[in-house]
């Protein structure tokens, strides 16, 4: 008796996908570093929340750290993404995962940069927030904030080439 053949796959029409970016999160000593490439949607913000939670497990035991967020390509974000982001930051704050400060590394002229002050306000509710235009300036601010909090400054990571 012949084995029944599986049905042929029907051809699917490509569904329009929302344009979204990428977020990666890591820990360098006492610094949580995030690199975010927009535009952003709610699904990406939910993925970022999971990445931050995983990275948070690699923080020092005393949970005192600096935070640096580098925004590349775009700051464009839909309303659902902003809501998801706000909920994520509030959830981390309620669980005690709060940096001594957050430094945003955002180059001038980035698409959607007019949103930056409102986005910084989301973090500002739980910690000091500052902005820099270059990596070196951002790292210097992170270290200044660590020192002000009584923590040791951290050596800057070795730069990796952008993909």
């Amino acid at each position: 008796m012949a084995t029944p053949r599986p049905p042929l796959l029907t051809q699917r029409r490509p569904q329009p996908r929302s344009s979204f970016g990428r977020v990666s999160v890591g820990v360098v000593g006492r610094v949580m570093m995030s690199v975010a490439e927009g535009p952003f949607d709610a699904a990406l913000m939910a993925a970022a929340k999971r990445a931050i939670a995983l990275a948070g497990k690699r923080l020092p035991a005393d949970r005192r750290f600096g935070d640096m967020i580098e925004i590349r390509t775009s700051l464009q974000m839909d309303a659902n993404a902003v809501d998801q982001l706000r909920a994520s930051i509030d959830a981390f704050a309620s669980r005690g995962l709060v940096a001594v400060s957050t430094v945003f590394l955002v180059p001038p002229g980035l698409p959607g940069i007019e949103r930056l002050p409102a986005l910084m306000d989301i973090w500002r509710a739980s910690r000091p927030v500052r902005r820099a235009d270059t990596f070196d300036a951002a790292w210097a601010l992170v270290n200044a904030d660590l020192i002000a909090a009584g923590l040791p400054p951290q050596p800057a990571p070795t730069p990796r080439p952008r993909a």
Side-chain angles (χ1 to χ4, degrees):
M1 188 162 168
T3 305
R5 296 174 75 186
L8 294 174
L9 295 175
T10 58
Q11 187 173 3
R12 293 160 101 197
R13 294 185 185 164
Q15 298 295 318
R17 292 185 61 178
S18 64
S19 176
F20 64 93
R22 299 185 294 186
V23 174
S24 60
V25 183
V27 174
V28 178
R30 285 191 175 271
V31 181
M32 183 178 290
M33 291 182 56
S34 303
V35 177
E37 300 178 28
F40 304 97
D41 61 8
L44 181 60
M45 292 296 90
K49 180 180 179 180
R50 292 187 299 272
I52 292 168
L54 288 172
K57 293 177 181 180
R58 296 192 322 260
L59 289 170
D62 64 8
R63 313 262 295 175
R64 297 183 68 213
F65 66 101
D67 186 24
M68 187 173 100
I69 302 171
E70 179 180 0
I71 308 289
R72 297 180 183 168
T73 66
S74 171
L75 255 174
Q76 295 167 329
M77 185 178 289
D78 65 30
N80 292 332
V82 172
D83 292 342
Q84 178 72 32
L85 175 63
R86 184 175 287 109
S88 296
I89 298 304
D90 290 348
F92 287 125
S94 70
R95 291 194 308 253
L97 186 61
V98 179
V100 297
S101 73
T102 295
V103 175
F104 282 85
L105 170 53
V106 182
L110 200 66
I113 198 163
E114 64 279 358
R115 296 184 139 265
L116 184 59
L119 293 175
M120 289 172 72
D121 284 345
I122 294 171
W123 277 265
R124 193 172 280 119
S126 60
R127 71 201 77 181
V129 176
R130 302 201 281 173
R131 176 186 172 206
D133 294 341
T134 67
F135 182 85
D136 290 339
W139 199 260
L141 289 173
V142 169
N143 270 329
D145 292 341
L146 288 172
I147 292 166
L151 299 169
Q154 301 297 293
T158 305
R160 290 189 209 157
R162 288 188 182 184

